[in-house]
Coordinates of all heavy atoms in Angstrom, one line a residue:
F25 N 27.9 8.8 -11.1 CA 28.4 8.1 -12.2 C 29.0 9.0 -13.3 O 29.6 8.5 -14.2 CB 27.3 7.2 -12.9 CG 26.7 6.2 -11.9 CD1 25.3 6.1 -11.9 CD2 27.5 5.4 -11.1 CE1 24.7 5.2 -11.0 CE2 26.9 4.5 -10.3 CZ 25.5 4.4 -10.2
I26 N 28.8 10.3 -13.1 CA 29.2 11.3 -14.1 C 30.7 11.2 -14.4 O 31.1 11.3 -15.5 CB 28.8 12.7 -13.7 CG1 27.3 12.8 -13.7 CG2 29.4 13.7 -14.6 CD1 26.7 14.1 -13.2
H27 N 31.5 11.0 -13.4 CA 33.0 11.1 -13.6 C 33.6 9.8 -14.2 O 34.7 9.7 -14.5 CB 33.7 11.3 -12.2 CG 33.2 12.6 -11.6 ND1 33.4 13.8 -12.1 CD2 32.6 12.8 -10.4 CE1 32.9 14.7 -11.3 NE2 32.4 14.2 -10.3
Y28 N 32.8 8.7 -14.3 CA 33.2 7.5 -14.8 C 32.3 7.0 -15.9 O 31.2 7.4 -16.0 CB 33.2 6.4 -13.7 CG 33.9 6.8 -12.4 CD1 33.3 7.3 -11.3 CD2 35.3 6.6 -12.3 CE1 33.9 7.7 -10.2 CE2 36.0 7.0 -11.2 CZ 35.3 7.6 -10.1 OH 36.0 7.9 -9.0
W29 N 32.9 6.1 -16.7 CA 32.0 5.5 -17.7 C 31.0 4.7 -16.9 O 31.2 4.3 -15.8 CB 32.8 4.5 -18.6 CG 33.8 5.2 -19.5 CD1 35.1 5.4 -19.3 CD2 33.5 5.9 -20.7 NE1 35.7 6.1 -20.3 CE2 34.7 6.4 -21.2 CE3 32.3 6.1 -21.4 CZ2 34.8 7.1 -22.4 CZ3 32.4 6.8 -22.6 CH2 33.6 7.3 -23.1
E30 N 29.8 4.5 -17.5 CA 28.7 3.8 -16.8 C 29.1 2.5 -16.2 O 28.9 2.2 -15.0 CB 27.5 3.7 -17.6 CG 26.3 3.1 -16.8 CD 25.0 3.1 -17.6 OE1 25.0 3.2 -18.8 OE2 24.0 2.9 -16.9
E31 N 29.8 1.7 -16.9 CA 30.2 0.3 -16.5 C 31.1 0.4 -15.2 O 30.8 -0.3 -14.2 CB 30.9 -0.4 -17.6 CG 31.3 -1.8 -17.2 CD 32.0 -2.6 -18.3 OE1 32.0 -2.1 -19.4 OE2 32.6 -3.7 -17.9
T32 N 32.1 1.3 -15.2 CA 32.9 1.5 -14.1 C 32.2 2.1 -12.9 O 32.3 1.6 -11.7 CB 34.1 2.4 -14.4 OG1 34.8 1.8 -15.5 CG2 35.1 2.5 -13.2
G33 N 31.3 3.0 -13.2 CA 30.6 3.7 -12.1 C 29.6 2.7 -11.5 O 29.4 2.7 -10.2
V34 N 29.0 1.9 -12.2 CA 28.0 0.9 -11.7 C 28.8 -0.1 -10.8 O 28.3 -0.4 -9.7 CB 27.3 0.1 -12.8 CG1 26.6 -1.1 -12.3 CG2 26.3 1.0 -13.5
K35 N 30.0 -0.5 -11.2 CA 30.8 -1.5 -10.4 C 31.2 -0.8 -9.1 O 31.1 -1.4 -8.0 CB 32.0 -1.9 -11.1 CG 31.7 -2.9 -12.2 CD 32.9 -3.3 -13.0 CE 32.6 -4.2 -14.2 NZ 33.8 -4.5 -14.9
M36 N 31.6 0.4 -9.1 CA 32.0 1.2 -7.9 C 30.8 1.4 -7.0 O 30.9 1.2 -5.8 CB 32.6 2.5 -8.3 CG 34.0 2.3 -9.0 SD 34.7 3.9 -9.5 CE 35.0 4.6 -7.9
A37 N 29.6 1.7 -7.6 CA 28.4 2.0 -6.8 C 27.9 0.7 -6.1 O 27.4 0.8 -5.0 CB 27.3 2.6 -7.7
K38 N 28.1 -0.4 -6.7 CA 27.6 -1.6 -6.1 C 28.3 -1.9 -4.7 O 27.7 -2.2 -3.8 CB 27.9 -2.8 -7.0 CG 27.0 -2.9 -8.2 CD 27.4 -4.1 -9.1 CE 26.5 -4.1 -10.3 NZ 26.8 -5.3 -11.2
K39 N 29.6 -1.6 -4.7 CA 30.4 -1.7 -3.4 C 29.8 -0.8 -2.4 O 29.5 -1.2 -1.2 CB 31.8 -1.4 -3.7 CG 32.7 -1.4 -2.5 CD 34.2 -1.2 -2.9 CE 34.4 0.2 -3.5 NZ 35.8 0.5 -3.7
H40 N 29.6 0.5 -2.7 CA 29.1 1.4 -1.8 C 27.7 1.2 -1.3 O 27.4 1.3 -0.1 CB 29.2 2.9 -2.3 CG 30.7 3.3 -2.5 ND1 31.4 3.7 -1.4 CD2 31.5 3.3 -3.6 CE1 32.6 4.0 -1.8 NE2 32.7 3.7 -3.2
V41 N 26.8 0.8 -2.3 CA 25.4 0.5 -1.9 C 25.4 -0.7 -1.0 O 24.6 -0.7 0.0 CB 24.6 0.3 -3.2 CG1 23.2 -0.3 -2.8 CG2 24.5 1.5 -4.0
G42 N 26.2 -1.7 -1.2 CA 26.3 -2.8 -0.3 C 26.7 -2.4 1.1 O 26.1 -2.8 2.1
W43 N 27.7 -1.5 1.2 CA 28.1 -1.1 2.5 C 27.0 -0.3 3.2 O 26.7 -0.5 4.4 CB 29.3 -0.1 2.4 CG 30.6 -0.8 2.0 CD1 30.9 -2.1 2.1 CD2 31.7 -0.1 1.5 NE1 32.2 -2.3 1.6 CE2 32.7 -1.1 1.3 CE3 32.0 1.2 1.2 CZ2 34.0 -0.8 0.7 CZ3 33.3 1.5 0.7 CH2 34.2 0.5 0.5
Y44 N 26.3 0.6 2.5 CA 25.3 1.5 3.1 C 24.1 0.7 3.6 O 23.4 1.1 4.5 CB 24.9 2.6 2.2 CG 26.1 3.5 1.8 CD1 26.1 4.1 0.5 CD2 27.2 3.7 2.6 CE1 27.2 4.9 0.1 CE2 28.2 4.5 2.2 CZ 28.2 5.1 1.0 OH 29.2 5.9 0.6
S45 N 23.8 -0.4 2.9 CA 22.6 -1.1 3.2 C 22.8 -2.3 4.2 O 21.9 -2.9 4.7 CB 21.9 -1.7 2.0 OG 22.8 -2.7 1.4
K46 N 24.1 -2.6 4.5 CA 24.4 -3.7 5.4 C 23.8 -3.5 6.8 O 23.8 -2.4 7.4 CB 25.9 -3.8 5.6 CG 26.3 -5.0 6.3 CD 27.8 -5.2 6.3 CE 28.2 -6.5 7.0 NZ 29.7 -6.7 7.0
G47 N 23.1 -4.5 7.2 CA 22.4 -4.5 8.5 C 21.0 -4.0 8.5 O 20.3 -4.1 9.5
L48 N 20.6 -3.5 7.3 CA 19.2 -3.0 7.2 C 18.2 -4.2 6.9 O 18.7 -5.2 6.5 CB 19.1 -1.9 6.2 CG 19.9 -0.7 6.4 CD1 19.8 0.3 5.2 CD2 19.5 0.0 7.7
N49 N 17.0 -4.0 7.2 CA 16.0 -5.0 6.9 C 16.0 -5.5 5.5 O 15.9 -4.7 4.6 CB 14.6 -4.4 7.3 CG 13.5 -5.5 7.3 OD1 13.8 -6.6 7.7 ND2 12.3 -5.1 7.0
D50 N 16.0 -6.8 5.3 CA 16.0 -7.5 4.0 C 17.2 -7.0 3.1 O 17.1 -7.0 1.9 CB 14.7 -7.2 3.3 CG 13.6 -8.0 3.9 OD1 13.8 -9.0 4.5 OD2 12.4 -7.5 3.9
S51 N 18.3 -6.5 3.7 CA 19.4 -6.0 2.9 C 20.1 -7.1 2.1 O 20.7 -6.8 1.0 CB 20.4 -5.2 3.7 OG 21.0 -6.0 4.7
A52 N 20.1 -8.3 2.5 CA 20.8 -9.3 1.8 C 20.1 -9.5 0.4 O 20.8 -9.6 -0.6 CB 20.8 -10.7 2.6
D53 N 18.8 -9.6 0.4 CA 18.1 -9.7 -0.9 C 18.3 -8.5 -1.8 O 18.5 -8.6 -3.0 CB 16.6 -9.9 -0.7 CG 16.2 -11.2 0.0 OD1 17.0 -12.2 -0.2 OD2 15.1 -11.3 0.6
F54 N 18.3 -7.3 -1.2 CA 18.6 -6.1 -1.9 C 19.9 -6.1 -2.5 O 20.1 -5.8 -3.7 CB 18.4 -4.9 -1.0 CG 18.9 -3.6 -1.5 CD1 18.2 -3.0 -2.6 CD2 19.9 -2.9 -1.0 CE1 18.6 -1.8 -3.1 CE2 20.4 -1.7 -1.5 CZ 19.7 -1.2 -2.6
R55 N 21.0 -6.5 -1.8 CA 22.3 -6.6 -2.3 C 22.4 -7.6 -3.5 O 23.2 -7.3 -4.4 CB 23.3 -6.8 -1.2 CG 23.5 -5.6 -0.3 CD 24.7 -5.8 0.6 NE 24.7 -7.0 1.4 CZ 24.1 -7.2 2.6 NH1 23.3 -6.1 3.0 NH2 24.1 -8.3 3.2
V56 N 21.7 -8.7 -3.4 CA 21.8 -9.6 -4.5 C 21.2 -9.0 -5.8 O 21.8 -9.1 -6.8 CB 20.9 -10.9 -4.2 CG1 20.7 -11.8 -5.4 CG2 21.6 -11.7 -3.1
R57 N 20.1 -8.3 -5.6 CA 19.5 -7.6 -6.8 C 20.4 -6.5 -7.3 O 20.6 -6.3 -8.6 CB 18.1 -7.1 -6.5 CG 17.1 -8.2 -6.2 CD 15.7 -7.6 -6.0 NE 14.8 -8.6 -5.6 CZ 14.2 -9.5 -6.5 NH1 14.5 -9.4 -7.8 NH2 13.4 -10.4 -6.0
I58 N 21.0 -5.7 -6.4 CA 21.9 -4.6 -6.8 C 23.1 -5.2 -7.6 O 23.5 -4.7 -8.6 CB 22.4 -3.8 -5.6 CG1 21.3 -2.8 -5.2 CG2 23.7 -3.1 -5.9 CD1 21.0 -1.7 -6.2
N59 N 23.7 -6.3 -7.1 CA 24.8 -6.9 -7.7 C 24.5 -7.5 -9.1 O 25.4 -7.7 -9.9 CB 25.5 -7.9 -6.8 CG 26.2 -7.2 -5.7 OD1 26.8 -6.1 -5.8 ND2 26.2 -7.8 -4.5
Q60 N 23.3 -7.8 -9.4 CA 22.9 -8.3 -10.7 C 22.6 -7.2 -11.7 O 22.5 -7.4 -12.9 CB 21.6 -9.2 -10.5 CG 21.9 -10.5 -9.8 CD 20.6 -11.3 -9.5 OE1 19.5 -10.7 -9.6 NE2 20.8 -12.5 -9.1
A61 N 22.4 -5.9 -11.2 CA 22.1 -4.8 -12.0 C 23.3 -4.5 -13.0 O 24.4 -4.6 -12.6 CB 21.8 -3.6 -11.2
E62 N 23.0 -4.1 -14.2 CA 24.0 -3.9 -15.2 C 24.0 -2.4 -15.6 O 25.0 -2.0 -16.3 CB 23.8 -4.8 -16.4 CG 23.9 -6.2 -16.1 CD 23.8 -7.1 -17.3 OE1 23.6 -6.6 -18.4 OE2 23.8 -8.3 -17.1
T63 N 23.0 -1.6 -15.3 CA 23.0 -0.2 -15.7 C 22.7 0.7 -14.5 O 22.1 0.2 -13.5 CB 21.9 0.1 -16.7 OG1 20.6 -0.1 -16.1 CG2 22.1 -0.8 -17.9
A64 N 23.1 1.9 -14.6 CA 22.9 2.9 -13.5 C 21.4 3.1 -13.3 O 20.9 3.3 -12.2 CB 23.5 4.2 -13.9
Q65 N 20.6 3.1 -14.4 CA 19.2 3.3 -14.3 C 18.5 2.2 -13.5 O 17.7 2.4 -12.7 CB 18.6 3.4 -15.7 CG 17.1 3.6 -15.7 CD 16.5 3.7 -17.1 OE1 17.2 3.5 -18.1 NE2 15.3 4.1 -17.2
T66 N 18.9 0.9 -13.8 CA 18.4 -0.2 -13.0 C 18.8 -0.1 -11.5 O 17.9 -0.3 -10.7 CB 18.9 -1.5 -13.6 OG1 18.6 -1.6 -15.0 CG2 18.4 -2.7 -12.8
M67 N 20.0 0.3 -11.3 CA 20.4 0.4 -9.9 C 19.6 1.5 -9.2 O 19.2 1.3 -8.0 CB 21.9 0.8 -9.8 CG 22.8 -0.4 -10.1 SD 24.5 0.0 -9.8 CE 24.5 0.1 -8.0
K68 N 19.4 2.6 -9.8 CA 18.6 3.7 -9.2 C 17.2 3.2 -8.9 O 16.7 3.5 -7.8 CB 18.6 4.9 -10.1 CG 17.8 6.1 -9.5 CD 17.7 7.3 -10.4 CE 17.0 8.4 -9.8 NZ 15.8 8.2 -9.0
M69 N 16.6 2.5 -9.8 CA 15.2 2.0 -9.6 C 15.2 1.1 -8.4 O 14.3 1.1 -7.6 CB 14.7 1.3 -10.9 CG 13.3 0.9 -10.8 SD 12.6 0.2 -12.3 CE 13.9 -0.9 -12.9
L70 N 16.2 0.1 -8.3 CA 16.2 -0.8 -7.2 C 16.5 -0.1 -5.9 O 15.9 -0.5 -4.9 CB 17.3 -1.8 -7.5 CG 17.1 -2.8 -8.6 CD1 18.3 -3.6 -8.9 CD2 15.9 -3.8 -8.3
I71 N 17.3 0.9 -5.9 CA 17.6 1.7 -4.7 C 16.3 2.4 -4.3 O 15.9 2.4 -3.1 CB 18.7 2.7 -4.9 CG1 20.0 1.9 -5.0 CG2 18.8 3.7 -3.8 CD1 21.2 2.7 -5.6
D72 N 15.6 3.0 -5.2 CA 14.3 3.7 -4.9 C 13.3 2.8 -4.3 O 12.7 3.0 -3.3 CB 13.8 4.4 -6.1 CG 14.5 5.6 -6.6 OD1 15.3 6.1 -5.8 OD2 14.3 6.1 -7.7
I73 N 13.2 1.6 -4.9 CA 12.2 0.6 -4.4 C 12.6 0.2 -3.0 O 11.7 0.1 -2.1 CB 12.2 -0.6 -5.4 CG1 11.6 -0.2 -6.7 CG2 11.4 -1.8 -4.8 CD1 11.7 -1.3 -7.8
Y74 N 13.8 -0.2 -2.8 CA 14.3 -0.7 -1.5 C 14.0 0.3 -0.4 O 13.5 0.0 0.6 CB 15.7 -1.2 -1.6 CG 16.2 -1.6 -0.2 CD1 15.8 -2.8 0.3 CD2 17.0 -0.9 0.6 CE1 16.2 -3.3 1.6 CE2 17.5 -1.3 1.8 CZ 17.0 -2.5 2.3 OH 17.4 -2.9 3.5
Y75 N 14.5 1.5 -0.6 CA 14.4 2.5 0.4 C 13.0 3.0 0.6 O 12.6 3.4 1.8 CB 15.4 3.6 0.2 CG 16.8 3.2 0.6 CD1 17.7 2.8 -0.3 CD2 17.2 3.1 2.0 CE1 19.0 2.3 0.1 CE2 18.4 2.6 2.4 CZ 19.3 2.3 1.4 OH 20.6 1.8 1.8
N76 N 12.2 3.1 -0.4 CA 10.8 3.4 -0.2 C 10.1 2.3 0.6 O 9.3 2.7 1.5 CB 10.1 3.5 -1.6 CG 10.3 4.9 -2.2 OD1 10.5 5.9 -1.5 ND2 10.2 4.9 -3.5
N77 N 10.4 1.1 0.4 CA 9.9 0.0 1.2 C 10.4 0.1 2.6 O 9.6 -0.1 3.6 CB 10.2 -1.4 0.5 CG 9.6 -2.5 1.3 OD1 8.4 -2.5 1.6 ND2 10.3 -3.5 1.6
L78 N 11.6 0.3 2.8 CA 12.3 0.4 4.1 C 11.6 1.6 4.9 O 11.4 1.4 6.1 CB 13.8 0.7 3.9 CG 14.6 0.5 5.2 CD1 14.5 -0.9 5.7 CD2 16.0 0.9 4.9
L79 N 11.3 2.6 4.2 CA 10.7 3.8 4.9 C 9.2 3.6 5.1 O 8.5 4.5 5.5 CB 11.0 5.1 4.1 CG 12.4 5.5 4.1 CD1 12.7 6.6 3.1 CD2 12.9 5.8 5.5
N80 N 8.7 2.4 4.6 CA 7.3 2.1 4.8 C 6.3 3.0 4.0 O 5.4 3.6 4.6 CB 6.9 2.0 6.3 CG 5.6 1.2 6.5 OD1 5.2 0.4 5.6 ND2 5.0 1.4 7.6
L81 N 6.6 3.1 2.7 CA 5.7 3.8 1.9 C 5.0 2.8 1.0 O 5.3 2.6 -0.2 CB 6.5 4.8 1.0 CG 7.3 5.9 1.7 CD1 8.2 6.7 0.7 CD2 6.4 6.8 2.5
P82 N 4.0 2.2 1.6 CA 3.3 1.0 1.0 C 2.7 1.3 -0.4 O 2.7 0.4 -1.3 CB 2.3 0.6 2.0 CG 2.1 1.7 2.9 CD 3.3 2.5 2.8
I83 N 2.2 2.4 -0.6 CA 1.5 2.7 -1.9 C 2.5 2.7 -3.1 O 2.3 2.0 -4.1 CB 0.7 4.0 -1.9 CG1 -0.4 3.9 -0.9 CG2 0.2 4.4 -3.3 CD1 -1.1 5.2 -0.6
M84 N 3.6 3.4 -2.9 CA 4.6 3.4 -3.9 C 5.3 2.0 -4.1 O 5.5 1.6 -5.2 CB 5.7 4.4 -3.6 CG 5.3 5.8 -3.7 SD 4.7 6.3 -5.3 CE 6.1 6.1 -6.3
W85 N 5.5 1.3 -3.0 CA 6.0 0.0 -3.1 C 5.2 -1.0 -3.9 O 5.6 -1.7 -4.7 CB 6.3 -0.6 -1.6 CG 6.6 -2.0 -1.6 CD1 5.9 -3.0 -1.0 CD2 7.8 -2.6 -2.2 NE1 6.6 -4.2 -1.2 CE2 7.7 -4.0 -1.9 CE3 8.9 -2.2 -2.9 CZ2 8.7 -4.9 -2.3 CZ3 9.8 -3.1 -3.3 CH2 9.7 -4.4 -3.0
K86 N 3.8 -0.9 -3.6 CA 2.9 -1.8 -4.4 C 3.0 -1.5 -5.9 O 2.9 -2.4 -6.7 CB 1.5 -1.6 -3.8 CG 1.3 -2.2 -2.5 CD -0.1 -2.0 -2.0 CE -0.3 -2.6 -0.6 NZ -1.6 -2.4 0.0
I87 N 3.1 -0.2 -6.2 CA 3.2 0.2 -7.6 C 4.4 -0.3 -8.3 O 4.4 -1.0 -9.3 CB 3.1 1.7 -7.8 CG1 1.7 2.2 -7.4 CG2 3.4 2.1 -9.2 CD1 1.6 3.7 -7.3
F88 N 5.6 -0.1 -7.6 CA 6.8 -0.6 -8.1 C 6.9 -2.1 -8.2 O 7.3 -2.7 -9.2 CB 8.0 -0.1 -7.3 CG 8.4 1.3 -7.5 CD1 8.5 2.2 -6.5 CD2 8.8 1.7 -8.8 CE1 8.8 3.5 -6.7 CE2 9.1 3.0 -9.0 CZ 9.2 3.9 -8.0
K89 N 6.4 -2.8 -7.2 CA 6.4 -4.2 -7.1 C 5.6 -4.8 -8.3 O 6.0 -5.7 -8.9 CB 5.9 -4.7 -5.8 CG 6.0 -6.2 -5.5 CD 5.6 -6.5 -4.1 CE 5.6 -8.0 -3.9 NZ 5.2 -8.3 -2.5
K90 N 4.4 -4.2 -8.5 CA 3.6 -4.6 -9.6 C 4.2 -4.4 -10.9 O 4.2 -5.3 -11.8 CB 2.2 -3.9 -9.5 CG 1.2 -4.4 -10.6 CD -0.1 -3.8 -10.4 CE -1.1 -4.4 -11.4 NZ -2.4 -3.8 -11.2
C91 N 4.9 -3.3 -11.1 CA 5.6 -2.9 -12.4 C 6.7 -3.9 -12.7 O 6.9 -4.3 -13.8 CB 6.1 -1.5 -12.3 SG 4.8 -0.3 -12.4
L92 N 7.4 -4.3 -11.6 CA 8.6 -5.2 -11.8 C 8.2 -6.7 -11.6 O 9.1 -7.5 -11.8 CB 9.7 -4.8 -10.8 CG 10.3 -3.4 -11.1 CD1 11.3 -3.1 -10.0 CD2 10.9 -3.4 -12.5
N93 N 7.0 -6.9 -11.2 CA 6.6 -8.3 -10.9 C 7.5 -9.0 -9.9 O 7.9 -10.1 -10.2 CB 6.4 -9.1 -12.2 CG 5.7 -10.4 -12.0 OD1 4.9 -10.5 -11.1 ND2 5.9 -11.3 -12.9
L94 N 7.8 -8.3 -8.9 CA 8.7 -8.9 -7.8 C 7.9 -9.7 -6.8 O 6.8 -9.2 -6.4 CB 9.5 -7.8 -7.1 CG 10.4 -6.9 -7.9 CD1 11.0 -5.8 -7.1 CD2 11.5 -7.7 -8.5
Q95 N 8.4 -10.8 -6.5 CA 7.7 -11.6 -5.5 C 8.1 -11.2 -4.1 O 7.3 -11.1 -3.2 CB 8.0 -13.1 -5.7 CG 7.6 -13.7 -7.0 CD 6.0 -13.6 -7.1 OE1 5.3 -13.9 -6.2 NE2 5.5 -13.2 -8.3
R96 N 9.4 -11.0 -3.9 CA 9.9 -10.6 -2.5 C 11.1 -9.8 -2.7 O 11.9 -10.0 -3.6 CB 10.2 -11.9 -1.8 CG 10.8 -11.7 -0.4 CD 10.9 -13.0 0.4 NE 11.5 -12.7 1.6 CZ 12.8 -12.9 1.9 NH1 13.5 -13.5 1.0 NH2 13.2 -12.7 3.1
F97 N 11.2 -8.8 -1.9 CA 12.4 -7.9 -1.9 C 13.2 -8.0 -0.7 O 12.7 -8.0 0.4 CB 12.0 -6.5 -2.2 CG 13.0 -5.7 -2.8 CD1 13.2 -5.6 -4.2 CD2 13.9 -5.0 -2.0 CE1 14.1 -4.8 -4.8 CE2 14.9 -4.2 -2.6 CZ 15.0 -4.2 -4.0

C-alpha cells in the first residue's frame, strides 16, 4: 500500500486477495469480509486470521475469533 493512498491501495488489494484466495476452504466468506474492509489494517488482520485458520493454527484462531467475536469465518 506504500505506493498508493490507503483508499486506492485497499481497493487494489481487495481484487488481488480475492484472486489469491479463490478455491480455498471457506474463501467465499473470507472474500465477503475482505470486501467490507475499509482500511489496510483491517484487511491485514482479516488476512492473518483467514490464513492462520487455513493453516490449522487453532490456538491463534481461537484468540482472534474471540477478540473479533466472529461466529463463522
Side-chain angles (χ1 to χ4, degrees):
F25 303 132
I26 292 174
H27 302 297
Y28 305 99
W29 293 100
E30 183 172 15
E31 182 179 348
T32 302
V34 166
K35 288 178 183 177
M36 292 177 69
K38 287 178 183 181
K39 175 176 63 174
H40 292 282
V41 170
W43 289 342
Y44 301 147
S45 64
K46 188 173 183 177
L48 299 176
N49 191 31
D50 292 329
S51 63
D53 291 337
F54 170 64
R55 287 192 305 276
V56 167
R57 292 185 187 278
I58 282 292
N59 286 326
Q60 293 173 345
E62 295 181 4
T63 67
Q65 182 179 6
T66 302
M67 285 186 70
K68 183 183 181 319
M69 184 173 48
L70 291 169
I71 290 167
D72 287 345
I73 291 168
Y74 177 72
Y75 283 100
N76 280 332
N77 184 47
L78 191 64
L79 294 171
N80 199 18
L81 299 174
I83 293 172
M84 290 303 294
W85 170 242
K86 287 179 183 177
I87 292 170
F88 282 124
K89 189 174 177 182
K90 186 174 182 178
C91 288
L92 294 176
N93 195 23
L94 298 176
Q95 297 297 318
R96 181 170 175 258
F97 204 89

